Amino acid sequence: NGNAGEGIRLAAAATPVFLAMSLLPECQRWSERAILALDESTRGGAEEMHLQTCFGISSMHMHGQSDAARDALDRSLGIAEASGNVVNRVAVLGMMTTFHSRSGDFKTALHYAQLSHAAAGTSSEPAAAAIAHSILGRSLHFVGDLAGAHAELEAALQQWRSQRNTDYLGLDWKNWACLCISWTLWHKGYPEQATDRIREAVTDARRRNNPTSLAIALSWAPLIFLWTGDLRRAEEHADWLISHAESHSLGPYLAIGRSCKGVLAIRRGDTRGGVETLEGGLTRLHAARFEVLSTEFKLSLVQGLAALGRFDEALTLVDETMRLVEVHGDLFYMPEALRVKGSVLLRIPQPRADEAETCFAQSMEWSRNRGARAWELRATTDLAALLKAQGRDKDARALLQPVLDQFTEGRDTADVKAGERLLATLA
């Protein structure tokens, strides 16, 4: 009714509630309307900060990483820094970290995570420290610093235990830390602890009745189950993610769910259907600039292409994927990329065994340097199988036995069982 100032104040009060309730279309619509109504008298304050943050976050969850979402978060960060509110500054820096990691720029994401950690150090606010530890732990995991990531994530969970409220900017930061630590535990060689954590995180997200947090939890869960070889649970969680994302206008998460179904199809022998599904999922993720899991899905696609005999495409894709891993910084995937390339080199019509052996050895070295026992086991098993095929059983056993001995749990997971089956055949 012409009272723009009152309307802006009402929208600034309502949009964080919409965000907390995962009413994302309402959040985006009202924050955008209020932002367009701002004038010199209403810009630069807490109300604009909330509006810009809510617009950026809701847009990210619904549509992906757009320039408009990034600009809104940039503007919100500028206001938060000028205001002196450390918790707001740390949380918005956290969302900038999320924006860039989802865009596939893990180096820039780590930079914002480090800024968040430094900002939290200037305050005695426990919530600021907890958020900052969560953010930095997640970023360190992606760049391959598993030990640093684990330490930060455990520190975050310790901080969150004393906090009654773990929700900021519409997300449950404690739950997010629990999700990431599940991945870190798997890579460090603790698959049973990893699956326990992921189940706990999904159950907690469901109990809290926050659709966005549940979508995030469900987007991480299928991969843990795929890695451990529990295809039934992987499919259950992928189907749940697809249904949930369709119900709540969460476009990028829908693409993740469908891509997981493509990986499952390849693993179950429907290679052609799985490749088509993965190609479609990656196309949708690229369109939304939601690249955080692109490397994971590309490596599965490489294996599918090789299984179909499309070796030139597979080698081209794996080489390009490895190049982008180095450029963008999700280095924790490099050991698996090297292993996958080695496996393709052994499947081509004229196998290049020497090059494959080099890839497996490099994968093992990368894994050892980062404490990624899970990746190390896969590469070691593949290299031991190659040595056995060359009649070098003694060398294969000497290589594989010590790596298997490192695993104190997860004897029924796919990779451990594959290693033990091979070991049993070695003279």
Side-chain angles (χ1 to χ4, degrees):
N1 295 324
N3 190 341
E6 189 68 16
I8 290 167
R9 285 190 290 275
L10 287 167
T15 49
V17 180
F18 290 146
L19 192 61
M21 298 173 67
S22 294
L23 296 172
L24 300 176
E26 291 83 356
C27 181
Q28 183 183 34
R29 181 169 66 249
W30 284 102
S31 56
E32 184 175 32
R33 287 188 66 179
I35 289 167
L36 291 172
L38 292 169
D39 58 23
E40 292 304 317
S41 66
T42 49
R43 287 193 183 95
E47 288 163 352
E48 186 189 356
M49 184 193 72
H50 290 306
L51 292 167
Q52 297 282 10
T53 302
C54 290
F55 175 80
I57 295 172
S58 58
S59 180
M60 281 171 55
H61 289 317
M62 291 172 61
H63 309 299
Q65 281 50 250
S66 65
D67 291 340
R70 184 197 58 214
D71 291 345
L73 292 173
D74 272 333
R75 174 62 179 163
S76 177
L77 178 59
I79 298 171
E81 288 176 336
S83 72
N85 186 311
V86 176
V87 176
N88 283 339
R89 182 183 176 193
V90 168
V92 177
L93 282 166
M95 293 314 302
M96 291 296 292
T97 302
T98 300
F99 180 93
H100 287 288
S101 62
R102 289 183 177 183
S103 299
D105 186 353
F106 300 95
K107 294 178 181 178
T108 301
L110 179 59
H111 168 70
Y112 279 105
Q114 291 166 334
L115 290 177
S116 176
H117 200 266
T122 67
S123 168
S124 59
E125 287 280 351
I131 292 171
H133 284 307
S134 301
I135 294 161
L136 184 56
R138 193 165 71 250
S139 291
L140 289 173
H141 173 87
F142 281 117
V143 300
D145 182 357
L146 297 182
H150 192 86
E152 290 293 332
L153 292 164
E154 287 289 7
L157 293 174
Q158 184 63 35
Q159 289 276 357
W160 286 125
R161 289 188 184 100
S162 63
Q163 301 294 305
R164 295 182 62 186
N165 178 30
T166 61
D167 292 344
Y168 290 88
L169 303 182
L171 295 175
D172 184 344
W173 295 81
K174 177 184 176 182
N175 190 267
W176 216 339
C178 194
L179 290 168
C180 192
I181 209 168
S182 70
W183 275 31
T184 302
L185 285 166
W186 186 86
H187 285 96
K188 286 166 65 70
Y190 301 103
E192 290 179 7
Q193 294 180 53
T195 53
D196 286 345
R197 290 292 185 101
I198 203 73
R199 289 193 193 104
E200 174 189 334
V202 171
T203 300
D204 187 56
R206 185 179 192 181
R207 179 180 58 81
R208 288 175 175 272
N209 198 30
N210 182 316
T212 304
S213 288
L214 180 56
I216 293 170
L218 291 173
S219 67
W220 289 61
L223 296 178
I224 287 283
F225 295 118
L226 282 166
W227 292 336
T228 59
D230 189 344
L231 302 190
R232 180 180 64 81
R233 282 194 172 87
E235 184 167 39
E236 287 174 356
H237 285 79
D239 287 340
W240 187 1
L241 173 59
I242 290 168
S243 174
H244 183 75
E246 286 176 334
S247 299
H248 295 281
S249 305
L250 297 165
Y253 300 94
L254 178 59
I256 289 173
R258 289 175 174 163
S259 297
C260 288
K261 294 284 282 188
V263 178
L264 275 161
I266 292 171
R267 293 279 291 272
R268 285 174 164 160
D270 179 14
T271 309
R272 193 172 304 280
V275 165
E276 291 176 359
T277 300
L278 261 181
E279 288 175 334
L282 281 165
T283 297
R284 286 187 286 272
L285 289 170
H286 293 329
R289 290 158 60 180
F290 202 98
E291 305 290 354
V292 65
L293 297 177
S294 286
T295 302
E296 174 78 32
F297 295 134
K298 285 178 184 176
L299 293 177
S300 292
L301 180 57
V302 168
Q303 294 172 86
L305 291 170
L308 293 174
R310 295 160 61 179
F311 298 114
D312 289 342
E313 293 174 72
L315 287 172
T316 298
L317 179 57
V318 76
D319 283 338
E320 175 65 9
T321 301
M322 290 167 62
R323 185 188 71 81
L324 291 176
V325 163
E326 290 189 336
V327 170
H328 297 308
D330 53 337
L331 294 174
F332 87 105
Y333 271 119
M334 186 60 82
E336 181 69 346
L338 285 162
R339 185 194 71 82
V340 168
K341 182 176 181 179
S343 69
V344 175
L345 290 170
L346 290 178
R347 298 185 69 164
I348 59 179
Q350 295 181 323
R352 287 144 57 181
D354 289 346
E355 291 180 48
E357 183 172 345
T358 298
C359 286
F360 296 147
Q362 289 176 340
S363 175
M364 291 166 60
E365 182 180 5
W366 269 85
S367 303
R368 288 170 181 161
N369 289 340
R370 287 158 177 78
R373 290 176 181 167
W375 290 152
E376 183 185 4
L377 175 60
R378 287 186 176 184
T380 304
T381 301
D382 284 358
L383 180 52
L386 175 58
L387 296 177
K388 175 180 169 58
Q390 296 170 343
R392 298 162 62 187
D393 283 35
K394 184 177 180 180
D395 292 337
R397 174 176 285 277
L399 189 71
L400 182 57
Q401 182 79 65
V403 177
L404 276 171
D405 288 345
Q406 296 180 76
F407 281 77
T408 58
E409 60 178 64
R411 312 308 297 185
D412 61 342
T413 56
D415 293 336
V416 175
K417 288 197 292 187
E420 289 180 335
R421 282 196 301 269
L422 176 59
L423 189 66
T425 70
L426 299 173

